[in-house]
């Protein structure tokens, strides 16, 4: 296993991590922004008001995007395991 192949594998893993996590982080960011905008306009400063909507939105997104995320991870893992012989030898 050469340094170039390790770096390529690491690059692919980081890219997969970003593509799988980005939708959930984006949804959480958008909901947090909307809730904070609502709090600023109504001057309601309740901590649970920021936590609960983000948690619900992320859970709903996870239910909708979960199969896609799992398929991406399975494809990456099967690709690594399929090339395992070339990594060792």
């Amino acid at each position: 296993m050469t340094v170039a192949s390790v770096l390529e594998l690491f690059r692919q893993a980081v890219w997969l991590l970003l593509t799988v996590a980005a939708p959930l982080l984006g949804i959480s960011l958008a909901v947090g922004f909307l809730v904070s905008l609502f709090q600023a306009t109504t001057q309601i400063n309740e901590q649970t008001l920021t936590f609960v909507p983000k948690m619900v939105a992320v859970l709903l997104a996870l239910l909708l995007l979960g199969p896609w995320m799992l398929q991406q991870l399975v494809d990456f893992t099967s690709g690594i395991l399929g090339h395992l012989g070339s990594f060792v030898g």
Side-chain angles (χ1 to χ4, degrees):
M1 183 176 238
T2 65
V3 173
S5 63
V6 171
L7 288 175
E8 177 62 23
L9 186 62
F10 183 71
R11 186 195 63 79
Q12 289 175 357
V14 169
W15 182 251
L16 178 67
L17 174 74
L18 291 174
T19 57
V20 168
L24 296 179
L25 292 173
I27 289 170
S28 176
L29 181 69
V31 170
F33 175 74
L34 291 174
V35 169
S36 66
L37 190 65
F38 173 75
Q39 282 183 325
T41 56
T42 60
Q43 295 182 353
I44 297 174
N45 290 325
E46 180 64 32
Q47 292 297 325
T48 57
L49 186 61
T50 60
F51 179 70
V52 173
K54 281 198 283 188
M55 185 176 68
V56 169
V58 168
L59 285 176
L60 287 175
L62 193 56
L63 285 174
L64 292 174
L65 297 173
W68 172 78
M69 294 166 71
L70 184 62
Q71 187 61 46
Q72 295 295 316
L73 293 171
V74 166
D75 289 344
F76 181 74
T77 305
S78 64
I80 289 176
L81 293 177
H83 293 91
L84 192 60
S86 65
F87 292 147
V88 175

